[in-house]
Amino acid sequence: MIQADRLLTDCHVATMTEGGVPYGAIEDAAILIKDRRIAWVGARADLPVHEAVETDRLEGRWVTPGLIDCHTHLVFGGDRSGEFEKRLGGATYEEIARSGGGIVSSVKATREASEDELFASAMARLEGLKASGVNTIEIKSGYGLDHDSELKMLRVARRIGREGGVRVRTSYLGLHAIPPEHRADRAAYVDKAVDDILPAAHAEGLVDAVDAYCEPIAFTQDEVSRLFEKAQSLNLPVKLHADQLSDGGGAALAARYRALSADHIEHSTEAGVAAMAKAGVVAVLLPGAFLMLRETKLPPVDLLRKHGVRMAIASDCNPGTSPVASMTAVLNLACVQFRLTPEEALAGATREAARALGVLNEVGTIETGKAADLAVWSITRPAELAYWLGKPMLYKRYSHE
């Protein structure tokens, strides 16, 4: 007999496991939960002998893994709605960045904000993501760009993980932009980011992975390689903002270091995609940034399929290029803009997003032994999650917390 804390019944389950029916679907299903983990999942007719403290009858709703937003910049000060207006007036992202806007404009506001202020503003954005079914989120630093401010951002991210009702994975993004005080001596900043800030953040237990922005307006392959070598010496996995604005060889660089993921990749070549496939690097597609920047160069989805590269999707929630706080909107945009199928999109926001964060052993699919991080939806079929844009569909979240 299974002793359970909770039985979910009268539901359908999209397990998102591979190798079987679409969505790994189980019609007329049941789930047993014990100690916030999945004790059993299957057809209701096969429900084993059990005792459950509580029973939730879900009236034919669909249950999926809790959605996973595997690329966000959720913690920042201020906003950049003025740059949004400039872009609508014709200015490019690169022009805004080179004129002192962009990331650097968020640095000043982030440095000036207290930890409590950053926490409060991030929690407001998190509410939108949670309302769209998110149970796990990655949060990057990268708007501090000095020792104290980078650690401040990462402490806020850890606090969100403790108090926000979501699982949080942190990424140190010290190589995001050159801070204003180092414009005349970028080498000194790279030294500081690699040899000072990262080791300090790691020593404080604030870092789960290390990220970098590899672009002509950001950092070179050599600079990123220095950071990645340091990360590997600390036994930290890496990931990369790669080939968003140009073909800078980012996909191949990510593959060289067996990164968890290469993100954006609109300009990646077939050679880069093939290298990602060989190294097991997940491609993280970010349709919110593509939309907001009005880009026209699509990520190489057909090449990713051809070479068997796993595809995740994420909000890229940030103040400048992707002020997006809804993962169901991201599902829709991934299908409409990038031509993913609804099943690929949902896999990208569950199983493959978990893979991109290195947490697939815990979340991302509904399987016995995994955390009971679940989302319940008032829908009649899973494709609706990518079909509707703006319709509230979430009925309930179950969290490991």
Side-chain angles (χ1 to χ4, degrees), residues 146-187:
D146 63 28
H147 182 284
D148 291 347
S149 301
E150 284 290 292
L151 268 62
K152 176 175 65 175
M153 292 184 68
L154 291 167
R155 290 188 195 108
V156 170
R158 284 284 190 243
R159 182 179 171 189
I160 291 169
R162 293 191 303 271
E163 302 178 27
V166 291
R167 183 186 304 267
V168 170
R169 301 292 288 178
T170 61
S171 296
Y172 168 67
L173 183 57
L175 296 191
H176 196 197
I178 298 293
E181 65 270 22
H182 283 284
R183 281 179 185 157
D185 189 4
R186 64 183 290 133

Side-chain angles (χ1 to χ4, degrees), residues 235-375:
N235 295 316
L236 291 170
V238 300
K239 54 181 59 185
L240 188 64
H241 286 62
D243 304 335
Q244 178 187 10
L245 305 175
S246 61
D247 175 21
L253 179 64
R256 189 185 318 158
Y257 286 93
R258 295 194 174 274
L260 289 171
S261 67
D263 302 25
H264 288 291
I265 67 164
E266 283 90 336
H267 291 264
S268 295
T269 63
E270 183 162 10
V273 170
M276 288 173 61
K278 185 175 181 181
V281 179
V282 177
V284 178
L285 307 181
L286 304 170
F290 186 90
L291 173 74
M292 295 301 294
L293 291 173
R294 298 193 293 178
E295 293 287 355
T296 57
K297 176 68 172 176
L298 291 164
V301 170
D302 287 342
L303 290 177
L304 297 173
R305 290 176 178 139
K306 173 183 174 182
H307 290 276
V309 175
R310 306 286 187 149
M311 292 183 287
I313 62 174
S315 72
D316 194 13
C317 179
N318 74 68
T321 61
S322 189
V324 175
S326 167
M327 274 303 290
T328 49
V330 173
L331 290 169
N332 176 276
L333 293 174
C335 294
V336 173
Q337 294 185 134
F338 297 164
R339 301 297 190 266
L340 268 62
T341 68
E343 185 177 3
E344 285 176 326
L346 186 55
T350 53
R351 182 183 68 238
E352 303 310 332
R355 197 187 308 275
L357 293 181
V359 294
L360 185 57
N361 62 320
E362 275 288 299
V363 293
T365 60
I366 301 177
E367 298 179 79
T368 300
K370 287 196 173 183
D373 279 11
L374 308 171

Side-chain angles (χ1 to χ4, degrees), residues 183-253:
R183 281 179 185 157
D185 189 4
R186 64 183 290 133
Y189 176 69
V190 173
D191 289 344
K192 180 181 292 188
V194 173
D195 298 323
D196 172 25
I197 306 175
L198 173 56
H202 177 256
E204 200 172 316
L206 299 175
V207 184
D208 295 319
V210 173
D211 199 350
Y213 187 22
C214 187
E215 283 286 349
I217 65 170
F219 293 91
T220 67
Q221 287 200 33
D222 288 343
E223 291 166 336
V224 171
S225 293
R226 276 197 58 202
L227 177 68
F228 283 4
E229 295 288 343
K230 174 64 75 171
Q232 291 189 339
S233 76
L234 298 172
N235 295 316
L236 291 170
V238 300
K239 54 181 59 185
L240 188 64
H241 286 62
D243 304 335
Q244 178 187 10
L245 305 175
S246 61
D247 175 21
L253 179 64

